[in-house]
Amino acid sequence: MALLTVSKVEKSFNQNKVLKKIDFQISKGEVIVIIGPSGSGKTTFISSLNFLNKADSGKMTFKDKQINLASPKKDDVLWVRRHIAMVFQNYNLFKNKTAVENITEGLIYGRGLSKEAAFKKAVQELKKVGLEEKKDYYPSQLSGGQKQRIGIARATALQPDIILFDEPTSALDPELVGTVVRDMDKLAQQGQTMIIVTHLMSFARKVATKVLFFDDGQILESGSPDQIFEHPQNKRTQAFLSAIAEDR
Amino acid sequence: MSFSKIIISLLSGLPNTLTLLVFSFIFSSLIGILVAWLSLQKDKVSRGIARVYTGLVRGTPPLLMLLLTYYGLPKLLSFIGIDSNQWAKIFFGIFGLSVGWGGYLAEAFRSAYLSVDKGQILAAYSVGMTDQAAFKEITLPQTFSIAIPNIENLLIGLLKATSLVYVIGLADMYQNATSLSNVNQGVFQLQIFVILAFIYWVIALGIEWFFRDYRRRYVHLNG
Amino acid sequence: MDFHFMVQSLPQLISVVPVTLYISVIAIIIGFIFAALIAIIREKNIKILSPICAFVVSFVRGTPIIVQLYVVYYGLPQFLYFLENSGVNVRPNSLPQIFIAIFAYSINASANLSESIRSAYHSVDHNQYLAALSVGMKPSTGIRRIVIPQLVPNLIPNFSNFFLDLIKDTALVYNIGIVEIMGKSNIIASFGFKYLETYLDALFLYLVICFFFGKILQITESVVRKRVFNKKSRPSRGYEPIRERKVKVEGE
């Protein structure tokens, strides 16, 4: 039984069709990686799943609830956002809150926890990513890798059904990518359902249960990591993969 | 008193208003560039002069600036032996407004200059440009682009400030309005000033339109 | 130049400084409240009200304050007469000038400050708001806890500039008969034609007032900026302190 299904998702920006009737489905525990060239609509797609970007049309079934992507009810939107969390490319940590507060904000205002319970949980999450001692630090005082791991902690603290990752390592220096990747790997092994947009092919091969190739607003090919990386069928998939050959 | 009569009467002051606006803008820009340049120098004396000037101007009401110019400048000039009693009032108006607004323009130029991305200058050097070339081709145009929004606001502010020259007896649009209102002994006062306000507003809109058009045309420069 | 006269007249001028401050402070407070309302109306694009606000803001920002002062001076009594004729109980005849001044300057402040608030609001990275939504906060909560705290430090410089301009603009109210610094200067100066001396005294007072308020706002800005973005060494609340321990962190 699929956890999340969306069908016929469409989105245009100024006459430009960015998402062309996309159908997508993910089950509990799956890790789906989305690859593809820039501008293919990957970010627009996943941000439409938590309504940070409103699609022009499409239907969503999440945890057996049906929601219209183009005109969702306000309560439905809040409900979805409290069960689907996001990790951003540019971390987007709240600049005016400390590391620990970044996590408690969502717990208190998104999940309704009490201040004490939220703090307990937040510190626990920071421990998990090894950043407990930075809990009172502000984002401006932290490195990119630290910020991103706190970004991940902020998402996992909410215990969401699905976590969306929008190119989580693209803004990081190469030597910091490893730490973030390790955290994401751990999450996958713990059974977290994840949708990841990334350029890291080796990571994708290791952790994905399914890989989707996105191009020009459509899913051109989908399959297991082996199928996509070793035996791509679609010409454009092949072209894309050989263009980033050094990452494999 | 009919609507059109009021407008004609007020507009007869427009030439003075516009003259004050244009010349004060030119001179205050020149002063602004000079003071901004001083404020960016290495030696303390230049920077001190710039700071004192800017501080003085930021703390002085434009009205007072005009009055001080009108009463003080002749005295200063008389020390150098120049007799300014015959000089037209408009000169004092332009001088007072220029000195008063120069401080604001200096701030606008200075902060725009400091906002230019340092990487741009490094890139210019890396392709072999000399200091002067880099300044002329890269720094100066970018400073100008960044400063434009502020300059637009300051120009509109200057437009409004021209109404203060009544205090030295200069006949601009505002002065015409007050004489008109006095002559009519309170009957049409509200109409007179509302119409006057609209005239200023239309000019301000014109300035805004001009700048918006400029921005639209050169949007590729400011990306 | 008569320095003796300057020193002598200074206390007389100082005696009316409270009038200048009174008008400025009341007008900025009222103006700020309405400016916030206008900013909200315009950002939310509320039907009918938003374009009206846009027009009023553009008009007020595009006309000289002295003209606005006279429009209110002549217009407000007429408006009150109109209300009285329609049965509302007001007394147009007893409208004190200071009320007119505060009314006019408050409107001016509302228009100008609403633009400052809007520009400070837009200066906050939109992604901060998206991040707030992504953890499930309601939009209003996100704005309240994340956007507004980051907006305030960016607002203060513009606010400070406008407040100083407002104080300087009060130099015009002598035109409607209020005796503040400029009014008093004119009165004193006319006694012996000592214009330059009196005006220099007035200049001195304005400089002191502007310097004082400018400094206070500057300090406020750095305090607020520190509080919002960088509250170092503040222990976390509600928890037992974590023991000082070197935590081995991978890769950092």
Side-chain angles (χ1 to χ4, degrees):
Chain A
M1 246 304 288
L3 179 56
L4 169 71
T5 311
V6 290
S7 49
K8 303 214 179 4
V9 184
E10 286 184 295
K11 174 87 188 165
S12 302
F13 284 114
N14 295 336
Q15 324 294 38
N16 219 344
K17 241 200 162 127
V18 170
L19 295 178
K20 302 174 181 165
K21 288 217 169 61
I22 306 221
D23 292 323
F24 172 89
Q25 184 175 298
I26 185 168
S27 305
K28 189 155 152 52
E30 276 198 280
V31 176
I32 297 189
V33 169
I34 301 180
I35 61 175
S38 336
S40 52
K42 315 189 295 278
T43 300
T44 314
F45 174 67
I46 59 168
S47 53
S48 70
L49 296 178
N50 68 343
F51 297 99
L52 285 191
N53 213 318
K54 203 146 68 93
D56 292 332
S57 69
K59 281 212 304 266
M60 171 193 274
T61 309
F62 178 50
K63 285 157 75 99
D64 291 335
K65 197 179 201 165
Q66 299 238 15
I67 301 176
N68 185 321
L69 284 174
S71 48
K73 288 196 280 224
K74 254 205 192 135
D75 292 332
D76 288 341
V77 168
L78 279 180
W79 174 75
V80 167
R81 288 187 187 148
R82 287 167 184 175
H83 292 91
I84 300 184
M86 191 166 204
V87 175
F88 298 83
Q89 182 175 356
N90 290 309
Y91 343 120
N92 281 350
L93 293 189
F94 302 130
K95 291 188 198 160
N96 57 322
K97 304 278 173 192
T98 60
V100 70
E101 284 170 347
N102 258 274
I103 304 178
T104 59
E105 285 295 303
L107 291 174
I108 298 173
Y109 294 94
R111 283 264 169 173
L113 260 59
S114 70
K115 282 210 168 110
E116 293 78 35
F119 264 95
K120 257 200 169 77
K121 186 107 182 64
V123 174
Q124 226 173 40
E125 291 295 327
L126 282 177
K127 263 199 186 113
K128 277 197 224 164
V129 293
L131 286 172
E132 193 191 328
E133 65 175 7
K134 302 276 185 201
K135 70 184 193 331
D136 290 325
Y137 280 60
Y138 276 80
S140 57
Q141 301 164 302
L142 300 168
S143 78
Q146 292 168 323
K147 284 193 275 203
Q148 192 57 300
R149 286 153 67 205
I150 295 172
I152 296 178
R154 181 172 65 178
T156 55
L158 299 167
Q159 290 172 301
D161 294 286
I162 304 179
I163 302 186
L164 307 171
F165 291 84
D166 185 9
E167 300 205 32
T169 55
S170 296
L172 294 174
D173 295 331
E175 69 267 20
L176 300 175
V177 168
T179 50
V180 172
V181 158
R182 246 165 302 188
D183 287 341
M184 290 170 68
D185 194 10
K186 245 195 327 202
L187 281 176
Q189 286 175 17
Q190 289 163 2
Q192 173 75 53
T193 315
M194 301 156 81
I195 305 176
I196 308 175
V197 172
T198 186
H199 290 312
L200 300 178
M201 301 302 149
S202 41
F203 171 64
R205 300 184 81 176
K206 181 164 178 280
V207 90
T209 53
K210 188 153 62 161
V211 175
L212 300 179
F213 176 68
F214 236 80
D215 191 8
D216 200 26
Q218 290 172 301
I219 301 178
L220 286 190
E221 199 171 339
S222 81
S224 71
D226 264 346
Q227 284 172 330
I228 297 287
F229 290 117
E230 299 301 332
H231 313 288
Q233 302 292 324
N234 188 301
K235 277 216 163 58
R236 297 235 281 268
T237 318
Q238 294 165 357
F240 176 73
L241 288 175
S242 56
I244 44 173
E246 66 270 21
D247 247 358
R248 304 178 59 184
Chain B
M1 166 148 285
S2 79
F3 185 76
S4 47
K5 275 228 180 86
I6 296 181
I7 290 197
I8 294 175
S9 176
L10 293 177
L11 286 181
S12 68
L14 189 60
N16 265 347
T17 296
L18 291 179
T19 311
L20 286 162
L21 180 61
V22 169
F23 284 98
S24 305
F25 180 67
I26 296 175
F27 288 117
S28 53
S29 298
L30 292 174
I31 296 179
I33 294 176
L34 175 63
V35 172
W37 181 76
L38 282 176
S39 75
L40 294 164
Q41 292 310 299
K42 301 235 170 39
D43 65 297
K44 288 215 163 137
V45 174
S46 308
R47 285 189 308 188
I49 297 178
R51 263 228 311 266
V52 166
Y53 171 74
T54 320
L56 268 177
V57 157
R58 291 194 70 196
T60 314
L63 183 73
L64 198 50
M65 187 63 82
L66 279 167
L67 287 170
L68 284 171
T69 310
Y70 188 65
Y71 289 103
L73 192 57
K75 268 223 166 80
L76 279 177
L77 290 177
S78 69
F79 286 142
I80 336 179
I82 303 178
D83 173 21
S84 51
N85 289 325
Q86 304 304 322
W87 289 7
K89 289 185 180 171
I90 199 158
F91 172 77
F92 292 104
I94 295 177
F95 191 90
L97 288 174
S98 304
V99 171
W101 236 249
Y104 294 118
L105 280 160
E107 257 313 293
F109 289 134
R110 185 190 138 87
S111 74
Y113 175 82
L114 292 173
S115 306
V116 174
D117 186 5
K118 304 284 189 293
Q120 301 282 299
I121 309 177
L122 293 179
Y125 289 151
S126 78
V127 299
M129 280 200 211
T130 60
D131 277 343
Q132 291 96 313
F135 185 76
K136 184 165 78 83
E137 297 293 325
I138 309 295
T139 313
L140 210 54
Q142 292 198 16
T143 304
F144 184 68
S145 280
I146 297 177
I148 290 268
N150 276 334
I151 294 185
E152 177 185 349
N153 279 331
L154 292 175
L155 185 58
I156 295 183
L158 194 52
L159 167 70
K160 299 190 283 183
T162 58
S163 64
L164 301 172
V165 296
Y166 74 89
V167 84
I168 59 177
L170 200 45
D172 69 323
M173 288 199 298
Y174 171 75
Q175 174 70 316
N176 281 6
T178 39
S179 356
L180 200 59
S181 121
N182 288 333
V183 162
N184 282 283
Q185 284 158 351
V187 182
F188 297 102
Q189 278 152 346
L190 182 60
Q191 290 89 314
I192 292 173
F193 284 101
V194 168
I195 294 175
L196 179 67
F198 265 96
I199 299 178
Y200 274 109
W201 185 51
V202 165
I203 303 177
L205 286 181
I207 296 177
E208 280 176 20
W209 178 86
F210 173 78
F211 275 87
R212 202 174 320 146
D213 189 62
Y214 172 85
R215 268 198 289 263
R216 184 182 57 85
R217 245 191 264 251
Y218 292 100
V219 70
H220 55 274
L221 284 182
N222 299 325
Chain C
M1 258 213 334
D2 190 346
F3 289 107
H4 180 66
F5 183 81
M6 277 175 73
V7 171
Q8 241 190 350
S9 349
L10 201 54
Q12 296 180 57
L13 285 181
I14 295 181
S15 72
V16 288
V17 164
V19 179
T20 299
L21 294 179
Y22 181 74
I23 301 177
S24 312
V25 170
I26 308 258
I28 200 97
I29 294 177
I30 300 179
F32 186 74
I33 297 174
F34 280 99
L37 282 172
I38 294 177
I40 295 176
I41 292 177
R42 293 194 64 190
E43 286 304 314
K44 286 197 149 178
N45 225 329
I46 298 183
K47 287 207 191 343
I48 304 178
L49 280 182
S50 182
I52 294 181
C53 285
F55 169 76
V56 172
V57 167
S58 168
F59 186 77
V60 169
R61 294 183 77 221
T63 49
I65 180 75
I66 187 146
V67 176
Q68 291 170 18
L69 195 55
Y70 274 107
V71 167
V72 174
Y73 182 67
Y74 292 123
L76 200 52
Q78 287 200 17
F79 179 67
L80 291 182
Y81 277 124
F82 170 75
L83 283 184
E84 203 186 42
N85 289 339
S86 320
V88 182
N89 189 14
V90 288
R91 286 189 319 191
N93 289 324
S94 58
L95 200 55
Q97 281 98 329
I98 200 138
F99 183 85
I100 293 180
I102 293 180
F103 190 90
Y105 285 90
S106 302
I107 296 182
N108 191 280
S110 320
N112 279 292
L113 286 177
S114 77
E115 285 298 296
S116 302
I117 293 178
R118 290 181 69 213
S119 99
Y121 176 74
H122 288 293
S123 74
V124 176
D125 189 0
H126 184 57
N127 283 325
Q128 294 283 297
Y129 176 67
L130 290 180
L133 294 182
S134 80
V135 297
M137 279 195 212
K138 289 203 277 232
S140 55
T141 314
I143 293 184
R144 185 168 53 87
R145 291 193 61 83
I146 303 299
V147 177
I148 291 187
Q150 296 188 38
L151 172 167
V152 172
N154 288 339
L155 174 62
I156 297 185
N158 271 331
F159 178 87
S160 169
N161 281 334
F162 179 73
F163 185 46
L164 293 185
D165 282 348
L166 183 66
I167 295 177
K168 291 182 282 178
D169 281 342
T170 58
L172 297 166
V173 298
Y174 73 91
N175 281 297
I176 62 173
I178 300 177
V179 181
E180 38 64 70
I181 300 180
M182 276 318 288
K184 196 73 171 174
S185 306
N186 283 330
I187 297 175
I188 297 177
S190 61
F191 278 133
F193 295 100
K194 303 265 183 206
Y195 289 104
L196 189 56
E197 288 86 347
T198 328
Y199 290 145
L200 283 174
D201 274 347
L203 173 64
F204 172 71
L205 286 179
Y206 277 112
L207 285 176
V208 167
I209 296 175
C210 287
F211 178 76
F212 174 73
F213 280 102
K215 238 342 176 214
I216 290 190
L217 285 166
Q218 203 181 16
I219 296 178
T220 308
E221 185 192 349
S222 34
V223 165
V224 168
R225 217 172 264 282
K226 243 204 195 149
R227 258 213 62 165
V228 170
F229 292 111
N230 189 359
K231 288 181 269 186
K232 237 187 186 172
S233 66
R234 194 187 54 101
S236 52
R237 335 182 272 269
Y239 249 91
E240 64 243 334
I242 308 301
R243 285 195 326 267
E244 279 303 295
R245 204 170 23 117
K246 254 313 171 186
V247 176
K248 201 69 174 108
V249 168
E250 311 160 303
E252 295 297 338

